[in-house]
Amino acid sequence: MDELLEQFLLEGRDLVAQASADFVALGQRADDAVAIDSAFRAIHTLKGSVAIFALHPAERILHAAEDLLERAKKSGAAIEPDALAALVACIDRIDHWIDDIERDGSLPEDAASVSDRLVAAFLTHSRDTMPSSPASAAPASPDESAWTMALLERQEAAHDGARALAAFRYTPDPDCFFRGEDPLAIAMAVPEILVLSVRPAGGAWPAHDAIEPFACTSILEGLSAADVETVRGALRLVHDQATVTAVDTRRDSGAALPERDGKSADMLRVSAARVDALADGLGELIVAVNAMAGLAETANGVDRVLAANVRAVQAGLEKVTGRLHRDVSAVRAVSLESALRRLPRLVREIAESLGKQVRLTIEGEELEVDKQIADAMFEPLLHLLRNAIDHGAEPPEQRLASGKVVECLISLRFKRAGDSVMAILSDDGRGIDPARIREVAVERGLRNRDEAEALSDAAALRLIFVPGFSTAETVTSVSGRGVGMDAVQAVIERLRGTIDVESALGAGTTFRMRLPVSALTTRLLVVEAGSGRYGIALDQILETVRIENDALKAVGSGQACVLRGRTVPVVSLGALLGDDAPDHPVARMLVTQAAGDRVAVRVDRFSERLDAFVRPSAGLLASVPGVTGSTLMGDGSVLLVLDLPELLA
Amino acid sequence: MSVRLEGDLIFLEGRCTAEESEMLLIALRDRPGLAIDASGLTRAHLAVVQVLLALKPEIRLPPADRILAEIIMDQ
């Protein structure tokens, strides 16, 4: 893809997210000056970017949005609800179009007519509110802040020093050329000029055949590092055609441009592939460091002092790689915000298409997690949100009848819990009826009647994660896409996370997802089973237990044991992997959670624990179920890393 | 002469005066594919700059003066 376009897609989405966040703030406080200013900047910059790609329909909408925000900025007036709706519609459309451009390389065919409609919405609004907005106290021309800001932006690109500047705008008289004047020479004679721009006085340059070479049709705008008086002096002969204003970039950069300055000055955009390469290298380093443990062991047999020295060096290296690991993880960490930026728009669209009214609040999205986790989280969350809107949210009239507010409140919260991030999605909709779930499970042949009746309500709710389950009476275009909750659970488990559901009939449903924050290295427990050694991620292991063989009970064709008062099925890892397990008097088991239930997995021996860089399965191994990937051991051997929930499925 | 046509290129050189804007306009209107070599341009009257901005010919080489170059390359 064209690099410029790629950059635009990235930045465009950043700007859309910025404006969206500002609009949310404006929804809470309609006269929030900081939000209005920030949204104005985002839209203004977006407009500039789309202009580069000649995306005229997008440019027109953004121009209309920019106008509206600019008026609000200047008058200090609040953004009326219908104006805010127009702004949200504008930014949603732009977001859509960015997707379209990425996919098709161009705007959709209806772009022009959609643009007309959206611009019309702004115009209606501006006619309604223009007369009522308080008169601007600014002494200068009505769009002063816009032009000085545009100049400042160009100035920022060229210099980064913060200082007092003078901006001038010079509108020469159309006949000035005949008098022998050259406005450009006058403007260029302004001392310490930083930026000078020549723009068409009428908003656009005349058509080719309408150009009058000797009529001045330009406006000159410039920024000088000299003080206002000096600039006025330089323009004294044309003082009736020029305005000069002081611009304090220190104030601007402190108050109004904080993010922009921070971003352009200290931020790097680095391709994810480069960071991945760094992580790969680090993975190999960790393997090499792990190999030293074996070396120390060997040395111990020869020379104890040497062995101690090797161990000391190993400890030092471990400390350094540990720090490096944290640093590389931090580089890979992205705020959830960027991964989730499209959710609010999609939620609005889904709600609209279903005739539901919902209000989504997102909290804690500034949390940083590994990019892989952040990216992979989007689909499952979107699916859960679809379900919440489609199945959870009642139609408005039904909500009113049951004494609820008309909008279904959906909250998505993220919080850090140790090495995990929790995502909690709740709605105050109709809740899930466990009786109905049992019914459906029986109808679909997932459980027989007795099994279904024996399930607790909580266990019955978990049936929604079973493949082939769908409670939708009619398959809607929104939820009924053939991916069910089982797909959601599969994604979460692939990320080594867990998902739980709670629901109260009539009051709403809550999903809790727990995901690791860092996907880079994995704490593994090495176990032996049959003739092999395998790695198992520690976060898939709830506990490890040793019990006497006699405590295992035969249940049907399998075995079970009682752990903390609960009967847990016992599965032999050796048998699962097609290997015979030798009989030990003591059963060593690790307890894991598969599809919401505890399962004890019997192994022959627990071996060491290690931090390993697990490479995802590729090639032939990728098709083997139950194998997450592999890792290289210090002695050069390859350890297969198992995915217990998948293996047990 | 500071506006000079050579092949498919218009050379703008030295100081371009208001009078020369008309010549430039006619040349660019007649042959819209002409490109500009402004590397030798030291000063340009606003009338000349307006023609360049309105007709947007391809600028092969910008003038050495930073401010002038930014103005001409802006559109």
Side-chain angles (χ1 to χ4, degrees):
Chain A
M1 197 189 292
D2 173 4
E3 202 172 310
L4 197 60
L5 183 62
E6 213 170 320
Q7 190 73 5
F8 164 68
L9 294 174
L10 271 172
E11 285 181 358
R13 289 192 171 121
D14 281 351
L15 292 165
V16 164
Q18 179 59 51
S20 304
D22 295 329
F23 294 156
V24 169
L26 284 171
Q28 281 151 7
R29 232 193 82 202
D31 62 346
D32 185 336
V34 175
I36 291 176
D37 191 56
S38 163
F40 172 82
R41 282 169 186 284
I43 300 265
H44 176 77
T45 314
L46 251 180
K47 193 183 83 172
S49 315
V50 299
I52 296 172
F53 295 97
L55 305 168
H56 300 299
E59 202 179 335
R60 285 176 46 227
I61 308 178
L62 289 165
H63 184 73
E66 185 188 9
D67 270 356
L68 191 152
L69 288 164
E70 196 187 331
R71 278 197 304 274
K73 216 162 104 81
K74 234 168 289 126
S75 63
I79 302 275
E80 305 290 331
D82 54 342
L84 185 60
L87 288 169
V88 170
C90 154
I91 207 73
D92 279 0
R93 181 49 52 190
I94 298 296
D95 194 21
H96 250 302
W97 282 349
I98 292 178
D99 291 349
D100 290 336
I101 292 163
E102 183 173 35
R103 195 181 52 245
D104 311 328
S106 62
L107 292 179
E109 278 172 14
D110 66 349
S113 60
V114 170
S115 164
D116 287 345
R117 195 161 44 75
L118 288 168
V119 170
F122 278 113
L123 291 181
T124 327
H125 181 80
S126 68
R127 265 199 300 278
D128 292 350
T129 55
M130 271 301 266
S132 67
S133 62
S136 167
S141 59
D143 53 348
E144 178 192 314
S145 60
W147 69 265
T148 52
M149 204 178 297
L151 286 171
L152 271 176
E153 267 172 24
R154 294 184 44 166
Q155 147 71 9
E156 264 184 82
H159 304 265
D160 56 0
R163 50 189 154 163
L165 302 173
F168 65 87
R169 176 183 247 199
Y170 169 22
T171 312
D173 157 16
D175 296 331
C176 68
F177 294 171
F178 290 108
R179 293 195 301 267
E181 289 173 14
D182 180 4
L184 185 57
I186 296 171
M188 286 179 79
V190 168
E192 296 186 64
I193 194 119
L194 297 170
V195 174
L196 184 62
S197 135
V198 175
R199 298 200 303 108
W205 295 107
H208 293 187
D209 47 4
I211 298 173
E212 288 285 344
F214 300 121
C216 178
T217 54
S218 303
I219 295 178
L220 295 94
E221 294 165 351
L223 205 56
S224 157
D227 60 48
V228 174
E229 284 318 307
T230 311
V231 175
R232 283 218 177 96
L235 296 172
R236 67 193 179 282
L237 294 177
V238 292
H239 67 93
D240 53 333
Q241 299 159 39
T243 50
V244 183
T245 359
V247 186
D248 190 345
T249 54
R250 277 164 299 195
R251 187 203 60 212
D252 265 281
S253 57
L257 292 167
E259 280 139 302
R260 174 170 301 278
D261 270 9
K263 268 183 195 157
S264 55
D266 324 322
M267 295 296 205
L268 278 182
R269 272 193 198 281
V270 179
S271 100
R274 287 192 189 182
V275 180
D276 288 345
L278 202 59
D280 273 350
L282 177 63
E284 275 153 31
L285 185 61
I286 291 174
V287 170
V289 172
N290 285 345
M292 289 192 74
L295 186 64
E297 203 57 42
T298 317
N300 207 23
V302 185
D303 181 340
R304 287 176 157 273
V305 179
L306 177 64
N309 284 340
V310 171
R311 262 189 227 106
V313 171
Q314 184 202 357
L317 277 172
E318 263 174 6
K319 215 161 91 191
V320 176
T321 46
R323 204 152 54 213
L324 199 57
H325 175 219
R326 275 197 303 282
D327 290 344
V328 174
S329 301
V331 173
R332 280 178 56 106
V334 292
S335 82
L336 286 164
E337 211 171 350
S338 58
L340 304 179
R341 63 179 45 157
R342 284 184 299 149
L343 277 186
R345 183 213 8 156
L346 293 168
V347 163
R348 280 194 291 277
E349 286 174 1
I350 295 165
E352 197 177 324
S353 74
L354 293 168
K356 304 281 180 73
Q357 292 187 24
V358 302
R359 180 159 11 127
L360 174 69
T361 56
I362 302 183
E363 271 174 62
E365 73 270 36
E366 67 285 350
L367 259 182
E368 292 197 332
V369 302
D370 189 88
K371 188 171 185 317
Q372 187 195 346
I373 303 278
D375 290 347
M377 221 185 239
F378 179 79
E379 279 296 327
L381 282 176
L382 180 61
H383 192 83
L384 292 176
L385 281 164
R386 263 193 204 123
N387 273 325
I389 300 167
D390 197 5
H391 306 313
E394 310 92 330
E397 58 280 8
Q398 202 178 321
R399 285 185 65 87
L400 287 175
S402 46
K404 293 180 177 177
V405 291
V406 66
E407 284 173 317
C408 178
L409 306 175
I410 301 181
S411 102
L412 178 55
R413 281 180 300 137
F414 296 95
K415 57 183 191 191
R416 186 78 187 252
D419 278 346
S420 306
V421 58
M422 298 282 301
I424 302 153
L425 178 74
S426 336
D427 67 67
D428 71 341
R430 57 166 72 94
I432 307 174
D433 181 359
R436 176 86 193 109
I437 301 285
R438 289 194 187 91
E439 234 10 76
V440 173
V442 174
E443 272 168 32
R444 311 257 148 105
L446 302 171
R447 293 287 182 277
N448 66 38
R449 171 91 34 208
D450 291 343
E451 283 170 345
E453 294 305 330
L455 292 172
S456 65
D457 281 356
L461 281 186
R462 286 208 61 90
L463 287 173
I464 59 173
F465 295 115
V466 173
F469 188 95
S470 166
T471 50
E473 310 268 313
T474 53
V475 172
T476 64
S477 67
V478 174
S479 303
R481 290 196 180 174
V483 280
M485 297 295 287
D486 56 320
V488 171
Q489 172 159 283
V491 173
I492 303 278
E493 286 186 347
R494 195 163 60 238
L495 297 170
R496 302 195 322 275
T498 57
I499 180 166
D500 280 306
V501 57
E502 265 169 44
S503 188
L505 201 55
T509 305
T510 299
F511 286 94
R512 276 171 223 279
M513 281 147 281
R514 179 187 281 271
L515 290 161
V517 172
S518 162
L520 208 51
T521 61
T522 313
R523 287 287 288 154
L524 292 180
L525 173 66
V526 179
V527 299
E528 291 173 15
S531 53
R533 277 160 59 83
Y534 306 94
I536 290 163
L538 276 183
D539 48 18
Q540 287 189 346
I541 300 173
L542 299 174
E543 59 178 332
T544 55
V545 290
R546 286 177 178 79
I547 60 173
E548 295 296 319
N549 239 348
D550 306 344
L552 297 179
K553 300 186 185 77
V555 178
S557 58
Q559 282 184 312
C561 66
V562 177
L563 291 174
R564 302 182 208 294
R566 283 167 66 178
T567 304
V568 177
V570 176
V571 180
S572 155
L573 186 60
L576 272 180
L577 298 168
D579 232 337
D580 270 337
D583 223 15
H584 286 284
V586 176
R588 292 179 178 83
M589 301 187 295
L590 46 90
V591 182
T592 187
Q593 194 164 22
D597 296 318
R598 281 169 180 251
V599 179
V601 178
R602 186 169 176 180
V603 299
D604 299 340
R605 209 167 81 85
F606 298 123
S607 188
E608 73 265 35
R609 292 178 180 213
L610 55 103
D611 267 322
F613 182 75
V614 179
R615 281 167 205 280
S617 308
L620 207 57
L621 209 54
S623 59
V624 180
V627 178
T628 312
S630 58
T631 188
L632 202 59
M633 298 293 282
D635 61 3
S637 66
V638 172
L639 184 76
L640 284 187
V641 180
L642 302 178
D643 179 357
L644 287 181
E646 193 178 303
L647 202 60
L648 294 167
Chain B
M1 196 163 122
S2 48
V3 176
R4 180 165 59 87
L5 178 63
E6 211 180 291
D8 289 338
L9 268 181
I10 297 176
F11 288 86
L12 301 179
E13 288 157 337
R15 292 179 71 133
C16 283
T17 61
E19 290 68 35
E20 283 165 318
S21 67
E22 191 169 26
M23 208 175 134
L24 181 65
L25 175 65
I26 292 166
L28 286 171
R29 248 190 215 154
D30 289 354
R31 292 178 57 192
L34 289 177
I36 306 286
D37 179 334
S39 55
L41 185 66
T42 52
R43 292 278 291 275
H45 191 278
L46 182 59
V48 173
V49 169
Q50 278 186 173
V51 169
L52 292 176
L53 293 179
L55 292 176
K56 304 181 182 65
E58 180 198 341
I59 312 282
R60 286 272 168 84
L61 289 167
D65 184 282
R66 178 181 70 84
I67 301 283
L68 191 56
E70 277 177 9
I71 293 171
I72 292 176
M73 307 296 284
D74 194 26
Q75 305 301 308

